[in-house]
Amino acid sequence: MPTAGQSGQAPARSKRADAVRNQQTLLAAAAEVFVTSGVDAPIREIAAKAGVGLGTIYRHFPTRADLVVAVYRHQVEACAEAGPCLLARAGSPLAALRQWIDLFVDFLVTKHGLANTLQADSSGFTALHTYFVDRLEPVCAQLLDAAVDAGEIRPGTQPYELMRGIGNLCIGHDGDPRYDPRRLIDLLLQGLQRPQSSPS
């Protein structure tokens, strides 16, 4: 005969899974709002996007910094997991690299805002930056290697170098409608490509 503890295990596990799912939904909604409206967007805008009440957000994330850090980590993980998935289903490794860089640029919008939000906690920001590099550099390397092996891009580009270059191109985008970092990033990727041989 099952004990009370045993009989309650499945519902408790299911409840925990639901809570994790709900939190992931909330973080995905917050990430979208941060990309379009910045990390200073009203919490009510995030609540509306996620379809939850303000109390739910504050219960999980008592301060804005807590929410921004959680979104940052959520986006790092999403970016890391997307790399292999894109390689498996994109038409070519170069197409996968381009799609991944699109996600990476969305993520960088939040990353730049994070520095201002955490300015009082420089050690916390440094730890997050290290986590970001350690998690995403191998994914970028995998995409670059696949594109080199397929003969689509020139060899020799280091993943950290590419990520840092893209990050630098994204700085200064805020508030300047005349500057489009994605156009320059596209030019950068064109520069990595091997020239196509002309038909004889």
Side-chain angles (χ1 to χ4, degrees):
M1 184 171 173
T3 65
Q6 288 171 322
S7 63
Q9 275 179 347
R13 223 181 350 256
S14 170
K15 204 174 213 177
R16 277 197 300 275
D18 285 348
V20 169
R21 246 191 325 274
N22 292 342
Q23 188 160 321
Q24 293 302 306
T25 301
L26 197 161
L27 290 173
E32 282 186 52
V33 171
F34 287 166
V35 166
T36 55
S37 306
V39 293
D40 294 324
I43 297 296
R44 66 179 173 276
E45 188 179 338
I46 296 165
K49 183 85 176 171
V52 300
L54 286 173
T56 301
I57 294 183
Y58 286 118
R59 189 164 60 251
H60 288 292
F61 309 106
T63 69
R64 183 178 293 272
D66 293 332
L67 176 61
V68 173
V69 168
V71 168
Y72 180 94
R73 287 182 167 275
H74 172 77
Q75 285 183 296
V76 168
E77 288 307 314
C79 227
E81 289 165 13
C85 295
L86 289 169
L87 262 181
R89 67 168 192 258
S92 71
L94 180 59
L97 178 64
R98 284 180 175 282
Q99 289 170 38
W100 186 80
I101 285 172
D102 246 6
L103 293 174
F104 182 62
V105 171
D106 281 347
F107 160 70
L108 289 175
V109 174
T110 308
K111 183 177 183 295
H112 290 316
L114 182 79
N116 296 330
T117 305
L118 293 185
Q119 55 192 333
D121 180 13
S122 60
S123 63
F125 181 73
T126 302
L128 279 172
H129 181 72
T130 301
Y131 158 72
F132 147 74
V133 172
D134 290 349
R135 193 74 178 91
L136 295 187
E137 193 174 352
V139 179
C140 186
Q142 183 186 18
L143 289 158
L144 284 170
D145 289 346
V148 168
D149 291 346
E152 294 180 306
I153 65 171
R154 298 178 174 90
T157 301
Q158 299 304 309
Y160 179 79
E161 180 182 48
L162 180 61
M163 288 164 57
R164 179 76 183 263
I166 290 169
N168 286 339
L169 287 174
C170 288
I171 292 170
H173 170 54
D174 297 344
D176 189 349
R178 297 171 304 164
Y179 180 64
D180 180 5
R182 287 183 194 270
R183 196 181 73 78
L184 293 180
I185 290 163
D186 188 53
L187 290 173
L188 171 63
L189 291 176
Q190 286 177 40
L192 289 181
Q193 287 179 241
R194 282 186 179 279
Q196 297 298 311
S197 49
S198 343
S200 45

